[in-house]
């Protein structure tokens, strides 16, 4: 009976991971495609291995569509300059304490309470408060680990560098790839150790406040969910200029 219960529980965890990641990626990719397809004129082709030159007159907005935090996005790699340790921690702080992160934590807390993923948290307002507190802690710890602590230790750049031009497919693949490959402080490409190790550390720390979810399967689910969130965020950031131009200019 115990083995059967664990198998059922692991199956639910895997299903929850698949639903979360699929929803995040599907929504982001669809938004990016719609924004890109609405451009008035196609961008010129980009040579393989190069990135688009940034438009100096167009600054990166702090939020995408007024919600999604966009503090660590850079227009391009043209004239690349590394950032200091202080700037890395500043980026992590801005991402962590932005209203968009609070909204995302609130959404995950609602999903967790509806699925009763942590029975010890209970239900009602008090239970939701526990779900929200732990979800928000997941994001804050994950941000500092992947954007400040590990990038400082490993000398990696936590920023996302937009490509900005090319086909929709190439931009999507580029955005997804940035989850696993990033730039070192010297400007070269490296495996994104900060992303994987940072989120793995955050998942390990979370076992201290998730009493009901301390198995290896639970840790893998948390890790996969956070990587999926970051991957979806990269896709949205790649098409951020298109999205803001499409929606905000339309309203104006």
């Amino acid at each position: 009976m115990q083995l059967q219960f664990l198998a059922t529980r692991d199956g639910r965890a895997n299903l929850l991971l698949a639903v979360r990641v699929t929803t995040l990626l599907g929504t982001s990719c669809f938004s990016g495609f719609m924004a890109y397809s609405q451009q008035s004129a196609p961008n010129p082709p980009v040579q393989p291995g190069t990135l688009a030159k940034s438009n100096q007159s167009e600054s990166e907005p702090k939020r995408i569509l007024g919600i999604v935090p966009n503090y660590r996005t850079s227009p391009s790699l043209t004239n690349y300059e590394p950032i200091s340790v202080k700037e890395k921690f500043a980026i992590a702080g801005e991402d962590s304490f932005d209203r968009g992160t609070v909204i995302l934590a609130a959404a995950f807390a609602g999903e967790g309470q509806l699925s009763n993923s942590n029975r010890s948290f209970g239900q009602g307002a008090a239970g939701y408060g526990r779900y929200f507190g732990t979800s928000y802690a997941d994001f804050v710890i994950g941000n500092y680990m992947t954007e400040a602590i590990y990038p400082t230790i490993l000398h990696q750049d936590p920023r996302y560098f937009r490509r900005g031009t090319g086909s929709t497919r190439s931009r999507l693949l580029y955005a997804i790839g940035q989850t696993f490959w990033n730039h070192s402080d010297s400007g070269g490409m490296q495996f994104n150790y900060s992303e994987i190790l940072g989120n793995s550390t955050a998942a390990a720390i979370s076992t201290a406040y998730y009493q009901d979810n301390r198995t290896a399967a639970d840790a893998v689910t948390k890790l996969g969910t956070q990587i999926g969130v970051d991957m979806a965020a990269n896709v949205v950031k790649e098409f951020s200029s298109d999205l803001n131009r499409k929606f905000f200019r339309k309203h104006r």
Side-chain angles (χ1 to χ4, degrees), residues 71 84-97 144 147-148:
Y71 295 98
S84 65
V85 173
K86 181 179 180 180
E87 289 174 310
K88 292 176 183 179
F89 276 87
I91 290 174
E94 289 172 330
D95 274 347
S96 297
F97 303 108
Y144 273 94
E147 299 174 16

Side-chain angles (χ1 to χ4, degrees), residues 10 13-14 16-17 20 216-226:
D10 290 345
N14 293 332
L16 179 59
L17 171 60
R20 284 182 175 180
D218 295 326
V220 171
T221 299
K222 293 171 191 172
L223 175 60
T225 299
Q226 190 56 56

Side-chain angles (χ1 to χ4, degrees), residues 140-205:
V140 172
I141 296 172
N143 285 339
Y144 273 94
M145 289 295 173
T146 60
E147 299 174 16
I149 295 176
Y150 276 102
T152 297
I153 295 173
L154 302 174
H155 302 287
Q156 292 190 318
D157 197 318
R159 291 174 294 178
Y160 176 80
F161 296 92
R162 282 201 306 114
R163 181 170 186 173
T165 62
S167 66
T168 303
R169 180 176 179 274
S170 67
R171 293 176 68 184
L172 285 173
L173 293 176
Y174 170 82
I176 293 173
Q178 286 283 289
T179 309
F180 304 100
W181 295 95
N182 72 343
H183 297 81
S184 66
D185 288 339
S186 61
M189 292 294 293
Q190 292 182 344
F191 180 76
N192 198 347
Y193 294 103
S194 297
E195 171 73 20
I196 306 303
L197 294 178
N199 282 318
S200 297
T201 302
I205 293 174

Side-chain angles (χ1 to χ4, degrees), residues 12-181:
R12 290 178 179 175
N14 293 332
L15 177 62
L16 179 59
L17 171 60
V19 170
R20 284 182 175 180
V21 174
T22 301
T23 301
L24 288 164
L25 285 176
T27 302
S28 301
C29 293
F30 178 75
S31 299
F33 173 79
M34 291 300 294
Y36 187 75
S37 63
Q38 293 295 324
Q39 295 186 55
S40 57
N43 288 314
V46 180
Q47 296 298 323
T50 63
L51 298 179
K53 292 184 178 180
S54 60
N55 182 356
Q56 298 299 328
S57 63
E58 181 181 356
S59 60
E60 290 293 325
K62 293 182 178 179
R63 299 181 185 91
I64 302 171
L65 301 180
I67 299 176
V68 182
N70 194 38
Y71 295 98
R72 67 186 185 102
T73 302
S74 180
S76 77
L77 273 169
T78 304
N79 300 323
Y80 173 80
E81 291 184 4
I83 58 176
S84 65
V85 173
K86 181 179 180 180
E87 289 174 310
K88 292 176 183 179
F89 276 87
I91 290 174
E94 289 172 330
D95 274 347
S96 297
F97 303 108
D98 186 84
R99 68 188 182 198
T101 303
V102 175
I103 293 173
L104 189 58
F108 271 85
E111 183 274 332
Q113 188 173 39
L114 287 174
S115 63
N116 200 22
S117 59
N118 290 272
R119 296 180 182 275
S120 62
F121 287 175
Q123 293 294 318
Y128 179 79
R130 297 185 187 95
Y131 278 104
F132 173 76
T134 52
S135 294
Y136 186 61
D138 288 343
F139 285 111
V140 172
I141 296 172
N143 285 339
Y144 273 94
M145 289 295 173
T146 60
E147 299 174 16
I149 295 176
Y150 276 102
T152 297
I153 295 173
L154 302 174
H155 302 287
Q156 292 190 318
D157 197 318
R159 291 174 294 178
Y160 176 80
F161 296 92
R162 282 201 306 114
R163 181 170 186 173
T165 62
S167 66
T168 303
R169 180 176 179 274
S170 67
R171 293 176 68 184
L172 285 173
L173 293 176
Y174 170 82
I176 293 173
Q178 286 283 289
T179 309
F180 304 100
W181 295 95

